[in-house]
Amino acid sequence: MRVTLLGTGDTTGTPTVGCDCDTCEAARERGVERTRFSVHVENERTGEALLVDFSPDFRYQFLRESVPLPDAAIITHIHFDHLDGLGNVFRVLDELDVYAANETDPQTGESVAETVADDYDYLDPITVVPTTPLEPVRICGFDVTLVPVDHPPLRCYGLAIEDPETGAKLALSGDTSYAVPDRSREVLAEPDLLLADAIVPAALCDAHPIGGRHEDDDGVPRTFGTKHMTREGALALADELSATRTRLVHLAHFYPAAEAFEEPLALDGEIYTL
């Protein structure tokens, strides 16, 4: 299993357009970036590639990393930075199965699968495959399980991707607060590599209109607002899942420049072989 981090940033990415903050300036000086979230997972046994989420930066990411085009894809939720790159398959792919959860979201009245099918009904190459969370499905030779997480007000999902022959396991928290349900934690547990949402350090919760949540015993918030984990929350989740290795993703440019490029914060283009 070859994992390429195509996009490790949040909604605006780093550097952010029009921003001259110290972190964005440091990223420009270093020649590094965090584009909008997407992960490429290649099955070297079968020669197939699975894409997790369609970043609006799809075209640039695939040209930059020279990875194979996907044979199948998964959409974790319908926020634009995870979905709107799907239109890039037009005239690029002849066919593509797109897996998405089949649970109805009370906020939208549709499942993620239904929203994707409705919004991209003009794309003849795609076939949306409604998928039941917490039930493994074989995709590109991997056993893939969507797991519910906590990203209000929309339904959102993390993923466990396992190679049934080698036992290699990749876990993705998805966009989530620290309140990942116990059943989902069980599925995500003991990965060789965990990609965990860590939008900002906990110290920045004071700047959020509603602050932080899910404090640890020392009062450190593990959730920033309601939708995303702090760095400290993501690392706590990694410990609880007994992750062998952890990379923090979905990172905002609000990280102070002195901390923004420290371990284990990920950058675009990182490659892991599991």
Side-chain angles (χ1 to χ4, degrees):
M1 183 187 301
R2 180 180 172 91
V3 181
T4 303
L5 308 188
L6 296 179
T8 55
D10 70 338
T11 310
T12 64
T14 302
T16 293
V17 173
C19 182
D20 60 359
C21 75
D22 289 346
T23 299
C24 287
E25 286 299 321
R28 294 184 184 100
E29 291 170 3
R30 292 171 180 235
V32 297
E33 59 189 340
R34 293 178 173 129
T35 56
R36 274 73 67 89
F37 183 80
S38 187
V39 177
H40 185 275
V41 187
E42 190 172 355
N43 188 334
E44 295 171 304
R45 291 188 297 99
T46 66
E48 297 172 290
L50 173 63
L51 183 67
V52 180
D53 284 340
F54 276 89
S55 167
D57 301 306
F58 175 98
R59 175 182 177 276
Y60 171 64
Q61 291 171 344
F62 273 79
L63 289 172
R64 183 191 64 197
E65 302 305 330
S66 297
V67 290
L69 286 167
D71 297 285
I74 301 169
I75 301 294
T76 61
H77 65 297
I78 62 171
H79 279 154
F80 94 96
D81 53 324
H82 295 257
L83 173 60
D84 281 12
L86 182 56
N88 283 276
V89 306
F90 183 66
R91 294 184 180 173
V92 172
L93 296 172
D94 294 327
E95 59 181 0
L96 182 73
D97 287 340
V98 178
Y99 294 78
N102 61 5
E103 293 180 318
T104 299
D105 188 333
Q107 185 73 20
T108 65
E110 295 183 323
S111 67
V112 175
E114 289 170 329
T115 299
V116 174
D118 289 346
D119 288 357
Y120 292 90
D121 60 346
Y122 65 91
L123 286 179
D124 292 335
I126 73 167
T127 299
V128 178
V129 184
T131 305
T132 302
L134 298 173
E135 293 185 7
V137 59
R138 183 65 56 89
I139 310 173
C140 295
F142 297 126
D143 289 334
V144 180
T145 308
L146 285 164
V147 298
V149 291
D150 181 52
H151 191 55
L154 295 177
R155 291 283 176 92
C156 184
Y157 302 87
L159 289 170
I161 302 174
E162 300 182 68
D163 188 320
E165 293 199 14
T166 68
K169 181 175 181 179
L170 169 67
L172 299 89
S173 74
D175 284 17
T176 184
S177 80
Y178 180 74
V180 177
D182 289 344
R183 180 70 184 99
S184 297
R185 289 176 184 242
E186 292 173 8
V187 175
L188 296 173
E190 299 185 352
D192 297 293
L193 175 64
L194 171 67
L195 304 179
D197 170 14
I199 195 163
V200 295
L204 293 190
C205 287
D206 290 342
H208 194 288
I210 63 172
R213 301 168 61 209
H214 305 128
E215 291 82 0
D216 64 16
D217 292 340
D218 295 321
V220 177
R222 292 174 287 197
T223 294
F224 178 70
T226 62
K227 296 181 180 182
H228 296 277
M229 287 187 287
T230 61
R231 172 183 58 196
E232 290 77 1
L235 292 175
L237 179 67
D239 285 343
E240 292 163 19
L241 296 179
S242 298
T244 300
R245 186 166 193 176
T246 300
R247 302 303 286 164
L248 304 185
V249 296
H250 209 278
L251 305 166
H253 70 125
F254 300 118
Y255 271 89
E259 304 174 26
F261 308 103
E262 293 183 344
E263 292 292 323
L265 276 63
L267 290 167
D268 286 14
E270 294 180 6
I271 298 172
Y272 299 93
T273 301
L274 309 184

